Amino acid sequence: MPSGHDLPPLIAILRGIRPDEILEVAAALIDSGIRGIEVPLNSPEPLLSIRRLTERYGEQCLCGAGTVLKAAQVDEVANAGGKLIVTPNISAPVIARSVELGLHVVPGFATATEAFEALDAGATALKLFPASTYGVAHLKALRAVLPPIKIFAVGGVGARTLQEWADGGIDGVGFSSDIYAPGRPAADVGARAAAIVTAWRQARGSSSV
Protein backbone atom coordinates (compact mmCIF):
# COMPACT_ATOMS: atom_id res chain seq x y z
CA MET A 1 0.00 0.00 0.00
CA PRO A 2 1.20 3.57 -0.68
CA SER A 3 2.72 5.35 2.28
CA GLY A 4 2.06 8.91 3.42
CA HIS A 5 -0.99 10.87 2.27
CA ASP A 6 -4.23 9.20 1.28
CA LEU A 7 -5.37 9.79 -2.28
CA PRO A 8 -7.39 13.04 -2.12
CA PRO A 9 -10.61 13.38 -4.14
CA LEU A 10 -9.61 16.59 -5.95
CA ILE A 11 -6.38 16.81 -7.94
CA ALA A 12 -5.17 19.96 -9.68
CA ILE A 13 -3.40 19.19 -12.96
CA LEU A 14 -0.84 21.90 -13.67
CA ARG A 15 -0.01 21.21 -17.30
CA GLY A 16 2.56 23.72 -18.54
CA ILE A 17 3.56 24.99 -15.08
CA ARG A 18 7.10 26.38 -14.80
CA PRO A 19 9.45 25.83 -11.85
CA ASP A 20 9.56 29.57 -11.15
CA GLU A 21 5.78 29.71 -10.57
CA ILE A 22 5.09 26.34 -8.96
CA LEU A 23 5.32 27.47 -5.33
CA GLU A 24 3.06 30.49 -5.69
CA VAL A 25 0.43 28.49 -7.56
CA ALA A 26 0.68 25.58 -5.10
CA ALA A 27 0.20 27.94 -2.15
CA ALA A 28 -2.98 29.29 -3.75
CA LEU A 29 -4.28 25.78 -4.36
CA ILE A 30 -3.58 24.58 -0.84
CA ASP A 31 -5.18 27.69 0.64
CA SER A 32 -8.29 26.92 -1.42
CA GLY A 33 -8.54 23.39 -0.01
CA ILE A 34 -6.87 21.34 -2.77
CA ARG A 35 -4.74 18.50 -1.40
CA GLY A 36 -3.54 16.83 -4.59
CA ILE A 37 -1.25 18.41 -7.21
CA GLU A 38 -0.08 16.78 -10.43
CA VAL A 39 2.69 18.17 -12.63
CA PRO A 40 2.46 16.55 -16.08
CA LEU A 41 5.84 15.44 -17.40
CA ASN A 42 5.28 17.33 -20.66
CA SER A 43 5.54 20.60 -18.72
CA PRO A 44 8.77 22.69 -18.70
CA GLU A 45 11.35 21.12 -16.35
CA PRO A 46 8.72 19.06 -14.55
CA LEU A 47 11.09 17.23 -12.20
CA LEU A 48 12.43 20.51 -10.89
CA SER A 49 8.88 21.70 -10.26
CA ILE A 50 8.04 18.46 -8.48
CA ARG A 51 11.15 18.69 -6.32
CA ARG A 52 10.37 22.27 -5.30
CA LEU A 53 6.75 21.36 -4.69
CA THR A 54 7.47 18.36 -2.49
CA GLU A 55 10.21 20.10 -0.52
CA ARG A 56 7.89 22.98 0.38
CA TYR A 57 4.45 21.37 0.52
CA GLY A 58 4.98 17.63 0.64
CA GLU A 59 3.66 17.43 4.19
CA GLN A 60 0.46 19.30 3.31
CA CYS A 61 -0.36 17.89 -0.09
CA LEU A 62 0.01 14.73 -2.18
CA CYS A 63 2.30 15.79 -5.03
CA GLY A 64 3.54 13.99 -8.09
CA ALA A 65 3.50 13.64 -11.86
CA GLY A 66 1.08 13.09 -14.70
CA THR A 67 1.57 11.88 -18.28
CA VAL A 68 3.95 9.22 -16.95
CA LEU A 69 4.56 6.78 -19.79
CA LYS A 70 7.63 4.72 -18.84
CA ALA A 71 8.78 2.87 -15.75
CA ALA A 72 12.05 4.83 -15.73
CA GLN A 73 10.05 8.02 -15.31
CA VAL A 74 8.49 6.60 -12.16
CA ASP A 75 11.95 6.41 -10.62
CA GLU A 76 12.73 9.97 -11.70
CA VAL A 77 9.54 11.26 -10.08
CA ALA A 78 10.22 9.29 -6.91
CA ASN A 79 13.77 10.66 -6.76
CA ALA A 80 12.31 14.17 -7.00
CA GLY A 81 10.09 13.42 -4.00
CA GLY A 82 6.85 12.74 -5.85
CA LYS A 83 4.34 10.33 -4.31
CA LEU A 84 1.70 10.35 -7.06
CA ILE A 85 1.91 8.79 -10.53
CA VAL A 86 -0.88 9.48 -13.04
CA THR A 87 -0.94 8.02 -16.54
CA PRO A 88 -3.15 8.56 -19.61
CA ASN A 89 -3.02 4.85 -20.44
CA ILE A 90 -2.53 1.37 -19.05
CA SER A 91 1.16 0.48 -18.75
CA ALA A 92 1.78 -2.58 -16.62
CA PRO A 93 5.49 -1.70 -16.08
CA VAL A 94 4.59 1.82 -14.89
CA ILE A 95 1.92 0.50 -12.54
CA ALA A 96 4.16 -2.27 -11.18
CA ARG A 97 7.09 0.05 -10.57
CA SER A 98 4.87 2.59 -8.82
CA VAL A 99 3.46 -0.09 -6.54
CA GLU A 100 6.98 -1.41 -5.87
CA LEU A 101 8.07 2.07 -4.73
CA GLY A 102 5.00 2.58 -2.57
CA LEU A 103 3.56 5.39 -4.69
CA HIS A 104 -0.06 6.17 -5.48
CA VAL A 105 -0.67 5.25 -9.12
CA VAL A 106 -3.79 6.27 -11.05
CA PRO A 107 -3.73 4.85 -14.59
CA GLY A 108 -6.05 6.11 -17.30
CA PHE A 109 -8.63 3.70 -18.74
CA ALA A 110 -11.75 3.75 -20.89
CA THR A 111 -13.01 0.15 -21.07
CA ALA A 112 -13.64 -2.76 -18.75
CA THR A 113 -10.78 -4.63 -20.42
CA GLU A 114 -8.36 -1.81 -19.65
CA ALA A 115 -9.64 -1.50 -16.09
CA PHE A 116 -9.03 -5.17 -15.35
CA GLU A 117 -5.58 -5.00 -16.97
CA ALA A 118 -4.73 -2.16 -14.60
CA LEU A 119 -6.07 -4.07 -11.60
CA ASP A 120 -4.08 -7.15 -12.57
CA ALA A 121 -0.95 -4.98 -12.70
CA GLY A 122 -1.57 -3.76 -9.14
CA ALA A 123 -3.49 -0.51 -9.55
CA THR A 124 -5.56 0.56 -6.54
CA ALA A 125 -7.28 3.50 -8.28
CA LEU A 126 -8.33 4.30 -11.85
CA LYS A 127 -8.80 7.38 -14.02
CA LEU A 128 -11.65 7.44 -16.52
CA PHE A 129 -10.14 9.43 -19.38
CA PRO A 130 -11.33 11.43 -21.16
CA ALA A 131 -14.35 11.38 -18.89
CA SER A 132 -16.53 13.76 -20.90
CA THR A 133 -16.19 11.57 -24.00
CA TYR A 134 -17.64 8.54 -22.22
CA GLY A 135 -20.01 10.15 -19.73
CA VAL A 136 -21.65 9.20 -16.46
CA ALA A 137 -23.71 6.35 -17.96
CA HIS A 138 -20.47 4.69 -19.06
CA LEU A 139 -19.11 4.98 -15.52
CA LYS A 140 -22.25 3.42 -14.04
CA ALA A 141 -22.05 0.50 -16.47
CA LEU A 142 -18.41 -0.13 -15.58
CA ARG A 143 -19.19 0.00 -11.86
CA ALA A 144 -21.52 -2.99 -12.34
CA VAL A 145 -18.59 -5.26 -13.19
CA LEU A 146 -15.62 -3.71 -11.40
CA PRO A 147 -14.65 -4.54 -7.82
CA PRO A 148 -14.75 -1.71 -5.26
CA ILE A 149 -12.03 0.73 -6.34
CA LYS A 150 -11.57 4.48 -6.45
CA ILE A 151 -12.35 5.93 -9.87
CA PHE A 152 -11.45 9.48 -10.86
CA ALA A 153 -13.02 11.40 -13.73
CA VAL A 154 -10.52 13.44 -15.74
CA GLY A 155 -11.08 15.41 -18.91
CA GLY A 156 -13.96 17.79 -19.45
CA VAL A 157 -15.34 17.68 -15.89
CA GLY A 158 -15.93 21.08 -14.27
CA ALA A 159 -17.71 22.66 -11.33
CA ARG A 160 -21.00 22.75 -13.22
CA THR A 161 -21.00 19.00 -13.90
CA LEU A 162 -19.66 17.79 -10.56
CA GLN A 163 -23.09 17.00 -9.16
CA GLU A 164 -23.88 14.69 -12.08
CA TRP A 165 -20.59 12.83 -11.67
CA ALA A 166 -20.94 12.62 -7.89
CA ASP A 167 -24.42 11.16 -8.31
CA GLY A 168 -22.93 8.68 -10.78
CA GLY A 169 -20.54 7.34 -8.14
CA ILE A 170 -17.26 9.04 -8.96
CA ASP A 171 -14.72 9.08 -6.12
CA GLY A 172 -12.65 12.01 -7.29
CA VAL A 173 -11.88 14.39 -10.13
CA GLY A 174 -8.77 15.76 -11.77
CA PHE A 175 -9.04 19.32 -13.07
CA SER A 176 -6.76 20.85 -15.66
CA SER A 177 -7.68 24.03 -17.55
CA ASP A 178 -10.65 24.67 -15.27
CA ILE A 179 -8.08 25.48 -12.58
CA TYR A 180 -4.75 26.21 -14.23
CA ALA A 181 -3.49 27.37 -17.60
CA PRO A 182 0.00 28.69 -18.43
CA GLY A 183 0.22 32.35 -17.53
CA ARG A 184 -2.86 32.39 -15.31
CA PRO A 185 -2.17 34.40 -12.12
CA ALA A 186 -1.97 32.43 -8.89
CA ALA A 187 -4.83 34.44 -7.38
CA ASP A 188 -7.08 33.42 -10.29
CA VAL A 189 -5.98 29.78 -9.92
CA GLY A 190 -6.86 29.91 -6.22
CA ALA A 191 -10.28 31.42 -6.88
CA ARG A 192 -11.09 28.78 -9.48
CA ALA A 193 -9.92 26.02 -7.15
CA ALA A 194 -12.01 27.38 -4.28
CA ALA A 195 -15.11 27.33 -6.47
CA ILE A 196 -14.45 23.71 -7.38
CA VAL A 197 -13.87 22.75 -3.74
CA THR A 198 -17.20 24.36 -2.82
CA ALA A 199 -18.99 22.59 -5.67
CA TRP A 200 -17.49 19.24 -4.63
CA ARG A 201 -18.56 19.68 -1.02
CA GLN A 202 -22.08 20.53 -2.14
CA ALA A 203 -22.18 17.60 -4.55
CA ARG A 204 -21.00 15.14 -1.92
CA GLY A 205 -22.87 16.71 1.01
CA SER A 206 -19.60 16.70 2.95
CA SER A 207 -16.91 19.14 4.05
CA SER A 208 -14.20 16.60 3.20
CA VAL A 209 -11.74 17.20 0.36
Short mmCIF file of all heavy atoms in Angstrom, two decimals, residues 154-189:
data_model
loop_
_atom_site.label_atom_id
_atom_site.label_comp_id
_atom_site.label_asym_id
_atom_site.label_seq_id
_atom_site.Cartn_x
_atom_site.Cartn_y
_atom_site.Cartn_z
N VAL A 154 -11.47 12.43 -15.27
CA VAL A 154 -10.52 13.44 -15.74
C VAL A 154 -10.78 13.74 -17.21
O VAL A 154 -10.90 12.81 -18.01
CB VAL A 154 -9.06 12.99 -15.55
CG1 VAL A 154 -8.09 14.06 -16.05
CG2 VAL A 154 -8.78 12.66 -14.09
N GLY A 155 -10.87 15.01 -17.53
CA GLY A 155 -11.08 15.41 -18.91
C GLY A 155 -12.48 15.90 -19.16
O GLY A 155 -13.40 15.10 -19.31
N GLY A 156 -12.66 17.22 -19.14
CA GLY A 156 -13.96 17.79 -19.45
C GLY A 156 -14.94 17.85 -18.30
O GLY A 156 -16.13 18.12 -18.51
N VAL A 157 -14.47 17.60 -17.07
CA VAL A 157 -15.34 17.68 -15.89
C VAL A 157 -15.05 19.00 -15.19
O VAL A 157 -13.89 19.32 -14.90
CB VAL A 157 -15.10 16.51 -14.92
CG1 VAL A 157 -16.04 16.62 -13.73
CG2 VAL A 157 -15.29 15.19 -15.64
N GLY A 158 -16.09 19.79 -14.92
CA GLY A 158 -15.93 21.08 -14.27
C GLY A 158 -16.89 21.24 -13.12
O GLY A 158 -17.66 20.33 -12.79
N ALA A 159 -16.86 22.40 -12.50
CA ALA A 159 -17.71 22.66 -11.33
C ALA A 159 -19.19 22.47 -11.65
O ALA A 159 -19.96 21.98 -10.82
CB ALA A 159 -17.45 24.08 -10.81
N ARG A 160 -19.58 22.82 -12.86
CA ARG A 160 -21.00 22.75 -13.22
C ARG A 160 -21.50 21.32 -13.43
O ARG A 160 -22.71 21.07 -13.38
CB ARG A 160 -21.27 23.59 -14.47
CG ARG A 160 -21.21 25.09 -14.22
CD ARG A 160 -21.43 25.89 -15.49
NE ARG A 160 -20.32 25.73 -16.42
CZ ARG A 160 -20.23 26.33 -17.60
NH1 ARG A 160 -21.20 27.12 -18.01
NH2 ARG A 160 -19.17 26.14 -18.38
N THR A 161 -20.58 20.39 -13.67
CA THR A 161 -21.00 19.00 -13.90
C THR A 161 -20.63 18.07 -12.75
O THR A 161 -20.87 16.86 -12.83
CB THR A 161 -20.37 18.46 -15.20
OG1 THR A 161 -18.94 18.56 -15.12
CG2 THR A 161 -20.86 19.23 -16.41
N LEU A 162 -20.09 18.63 -11.69
CA LEU A 162 -19.66 17.79 -10.56
C LEU A 162 -20.81 17.02 -9.93
O LEU A 162 -20.65 15.86 -9.54
CB LEU A 162 -18.97 18.65 -9.50
CG LEU A 162 -17.46 18.81 -9.61
CD1 LEU A 162 -16.94 19.66 -8.46
CD2 LEU A 162 -16.77 17.47 -9.62
N GLN A 163 -21.97 17.67 -9.80
CA GLN A 163 -23.09 17.00 -9.16
C GLN A 163 -23.49 15.74 -9.92
O GLN A 163 -23.73 14.68 -9.33
CB GLN A 163 -24.29 17.94 -9.07
CG GLN A 163 -25.46 17.36 -8.26
CD GLN A 163 -25.11 17.20 -6.79
OE1 GLN A 163 -24.82 18.17 -6.10
NE2 GLN A 163 -25.14 15.96 -6.29
N GLU A 164 -23.54 15.84 -11.24
CA GLU A 164 -23.88 14.69 -12.08
C GLU A 164 -22.90 13.54 -11.88
O GLU A 164 -23.30 12.37 -11.76
CB GLU A 164 -23.91 15.12 -13.54
CG GLU A 164 -24.26 14.01 -14.51
CD GLU A 164 -24.17 14.44 -15.96
OE1 GLU A 164 -23.73 15.58 -16.22
OE2 GLU A 164 -24.50 13.62 -16.83
N TRP A 165 -21.61 13.88 -11.85
CA TRP A 165 -20.59 12.83 -11.67
C TRP A 165 -20.62 12.25 -10.26
O TRP A 165 -20.45 11.04 -10.07
CB TRP A 165 -19.21 13.38 -12.01
CG TRP A 165 -18.99 13.49 -13.47
CD1 TRP A 165 -19.13 14.59 -14.26
CD2 TRP A 165 -18.62 12.43 -14.35
NE1 TRP A 165 -18.87 14.29 -15.57
CE2 TRP A 165 -18.55 12.97 -15.66
CE3 TRP A 165 -18.32 11.08 -14.18
CZ2 TRP A 165 -18.20 12.21 -16.77
CZ3 TRP A 165 -17.96 10.31 -15.28
CH2 TRP A 165 -17.91 10.87 -16.56
N ALA A 166 -20.85 13.12 -9.27
CA ALA A 166 -20.94 12.62 -7.89
C ALA A 166 -22.12 11.67 -7.75
O ALA A 166 -22.02 10.61 -7.12
CB ALA A 166 -21.06 13.79 -6.92
N ASP A 167 -23.24 12.03 -8.35
CA ASP A 167 -24.42 11.16 -8.31
C ASP A 167 -24.16 9.85 -9.04
O ASP A 167 -24.76 8.82 -8.71
CB ASP A 167 -25.63 11.87 -8.94
CG ASP A 167 -26.12 13.05 -8.12
OD1 ASP A 167 -25.74 13.15 -6.94
OD2 ASP A 167 -26.88 13.88 -8.67
N GLY A 168 -23.25 9.89 -10.02
CA GLY A 168 -22.93 8.68 -10.78
C GLY A 168 -21.93 7.78 -10.08
O GLY A 168 -21.62 6.69 -10.59
N GLY A 169 -21.42 8.21 -8.93
CA GLY A 169 -20.54 7.34 -8.14
C GLY A 169 -19.06 7.59 -8.30
O GLY A 169 -18.26 6.74 -7.91
N ILE A 170 -18.68 8.75 -8.84
CA ILE A 170 -17.26 9.04 -8.96
C ILE A 170 -16.64 9.29 -7.59
O ILE A 170 -17.30 9.85 -6.70
CB ILE A 170 -17.03 10.25 -9.91
CG1 ILE A 170 -15.65 10.16 -10.57
CG2 ILE A 170 -17.22 11.58 -9.20
CD1 ILE A 170 -15.51 9.05 -11.56
N ASP A 171 -15.40 8.89 -7.41
CA ASP A 171 -14.72 9.08 -6.12
C ASP A 171 -13.87 10.34 -6.08
O ASP A 171 -13.52 10.83 -5.00
CB ASP A 171 -13.83 7.88 -5.83
CG ASP A 171 -14.63 6.60 -5.68
OD1 ASP A 171 -15.38 6.50 -4.69
OD2 ASP A 171 -14.53 5.72 -6.55
N GLY A 172 -13.49 10.83 -7.24
CA GLY A 172 -12.65 12.01 -7.29
C GLY A 172 -12.56 12.55 -8.70
O GLY A 172 -13.03 11.91 -9.65
N VAL A 173 -11.97 13.72 -8.83
CA VAL A 173 -11.88 14.39 -10.13
C VAL A 173 -10.52 15.06 -10.26
O VAL A 173 -10.00 15.62 -9.29
CB VAL A 173 -13.00 15.45 -10.29
CG1 VAL A 173 -12.92 16.09 -11.68
CG2 VAL A 173 -14.37 14.83 -10.07
N GLY A 174 -9.96 14.99 -11.45
CA GLY A 174 -8.77 15.76 -11.77
C GLY A 174 -9.16 16.92 -12.67
O GLY A 174 -9.89 16.73 -13.64
N PHE A 175 -8.69 18.11 -12.33
CA PHE A 175 -9.04 19.32 -13.07
C PHE A 175 -7.80 19.92 -13.69
O PHE A 175 -6.79 20.12 -13.01
CB PHE A 175 -9.67 20.36 -12.13
CG PHE A 175 -10.93 19.91 -11.47
CD1 PHE A 175 -10.90 19.30 -10.22
CD2 PHE A 175 -12.15 20.07 -12.10
CE1 PHE A 175 -12.06 18.88 -9.60
CE2 PHE A 175 -13.33 19.65 -11.49
CZ PHE A 175 -13.28 19.05 -10.24
N SER A 176 -7.88 20.24 -14.96
CA SER A 176 -6.76 20.85 -15.66
C SER A 176 -7.04 22.32 -15.95
O SER A 176 -6.87 23.17 -15.09
CB SER A 176 -6.46 20.08 -16.94
OG SER A 176 -5.34 20.61 -17.60
N SER A 177 -7.51 22.63 -17.15
CA SER A 177 -7.68 24.03 -17.55
C SER A 177 -8.76 24.75 -16.77
O SER A 177 -8.79 25.98 -16.74
CB SER A 177 -7.98 24.12 -19.05
OG SER A 177 -9.14 23.38 -19.38
N ASP A 178 -9.66 24.01 -16.12
CA ASP A 178 -10.65 24.67 -15.27
C ASP A 178 -9.99 25.36 -14.08
O ASP A 178 -10.56 26.30 -13.51
CB ASP A 178 -11.68 23.66 -14.75
CG ASP A 178 -12.87 23.52 -15.67
OD1 ASP A 178 -12.71 23.87 -16.87
OD2 ASP A 178 -13.94 23.09 -15.23
N ILE A 179 -8.81 24.88 -13.69
CA ILE A 179 -8.08 25.48 -12.58
C ILE A 179 -6.87 26.25 -13.07
O ILE A 179 -6.69 27.43 -12.74
CB ILE A 179 -7.66 24.40 -11.56
CG1 ILE A 179 -8.86 23.92 -10.76
CG2 ILE A 179 -6.57 24.94 -10.61
CD1 ILE A 179 -8.53 22.91 -9.68
N TYR A 180 -6.02 25.60 -13.84
CA TYR A 180 -4.75 26.21 -14.23
C TYR A 180 -4.55 26.20 -15.73
O TYR A 180 -4.90 25.24 -16.42
CB TYR A 180 -3.57 25.47 -13.58
CG TYR A 180 -2.23 25.98 -14.06
CD1 TYR A 180 -1.67 27.13 -13.50
CD2 TYR A 180 -1.56 25.35 -15.10
CE1 TYR A 180 -0.46 27.62 -13.96
CE2 TYR A 180 -0.35 25.84 -15.57
CZ TYR A 180 0.20 26.98 -15.00
OH TYR A 180 1.38 27.47 -15.47
N ALA A 181 -3.97 27.29 -16.22
CA ALA A 181 -3.49 27.37 -17.60
C ALA A 181 -2.21 28.20 -17.56
O ALA A 181 -2.06 29.08 -16.71
CB ALA A 181 -4.52 28.01 -18.52
N PRO A 182 -1.25 27.93 -18.44
CA PRO A 182 0.00 28.69 -18.43
C PRO A 182 -0.26 30.20 -18.49
O PRO A 182 -1.05 30.67 -19.32
CB PRO A 182 0.71 28.19 -19.69
CG PRO A 182 0.21 26.79 -19.86
CD PRO A 182 -1.23 26.85 -19.45
N GLY A 183 0.37 30.91 -17.58
CA GLY A 183 0.22 32.35 -17.53
C GLY A 183 -0.90 32.85 -16.66
O GLY A 183 -1.01 34.06 -16.41
N ARG A 184 -1.75 31.97 -16.17
CA ARG A 184 -2.86 32.39 -15.31
C ARG A 184 -2.32 32.79 -13.94
O ARG A 184 -1.58 32.02 -13.32
CB ARG A 184 -3.87 31.26 -15.18
CG ARG A 184 -5.12 31.61 -14.36
CD ARG A 184 -6.15 30.50 -14.47
NE ARG A 184 -6.75 30.48 -15.80
CZ ARG A 184 -7.37 29.42 -16.33
NH1 ARG A 184 -7.45 28.29 -15.63
NH2 ARG A 184 -7.89 29.49 -17.53
N PRO A 185 -2.68 33.96 -13.42
CA PRO A 185 -2.17 34.40 -12.12
C PRO A 185 -2.57 33.45 -11.00
O PRO A 185 -3.65 32.85 -11.02
CB PRO A 185 -2.82 35.78 -11.94
CG PRO A 185 -3.18 36.23 -13.31
CD PRO A 185 -3.52 34.99 -14.07
N ALA A 186 -1.71 33.34 -10.01
CA ALA A 186 -1.97 32.43 -8.89
C ALA A 186 -3.27 32.76 -8.18
O ALA A 186 -4.00 31.85 -7.75
CB ALA A 186 -0.80 32.46 -7.92
N ALA A 187 -3.59 34.05 -8.05
CA ALA A 187 -4.83 34.44 -7.38
C ALA A 187 -6.05 33.91 -8.13
O ALA A 187 -7.03 33.46 -7.52
CB ALA A 187 -4.89 35.95 -7.25
N ASP A 188 -5.99 33.94 -9.46
CA ASP A 188 -7.08 33.42 -10.29
C ASP A 188 -7.17 31.90 -10.15
O ASP A 188 -8.26 31.33 -10.04
CB ASP A 188 -6.84 33.81 -11.74
CG ASP A 188 -8.03 33.49 -12.64
OD1 ASP A 188 -9.09 33.11 -12.12
OD2 ASP A 188 -7.89 33.64 -13.88
N VAL A 189 -6.01 31.24 -10.12
CA VAL A 189 -5.98 29.78 -9.92
C VAL A 189 -6.63 29.43 -8.58
O VAL A 189 -7.46 28.51 -8.50
CB VAL A 189 -4.53 29.26 -9.96
CG1 VAL A 189 -4.48 27.78 -9.58
CG2 VAL A 189 -3.93 29.47 -11.35
#
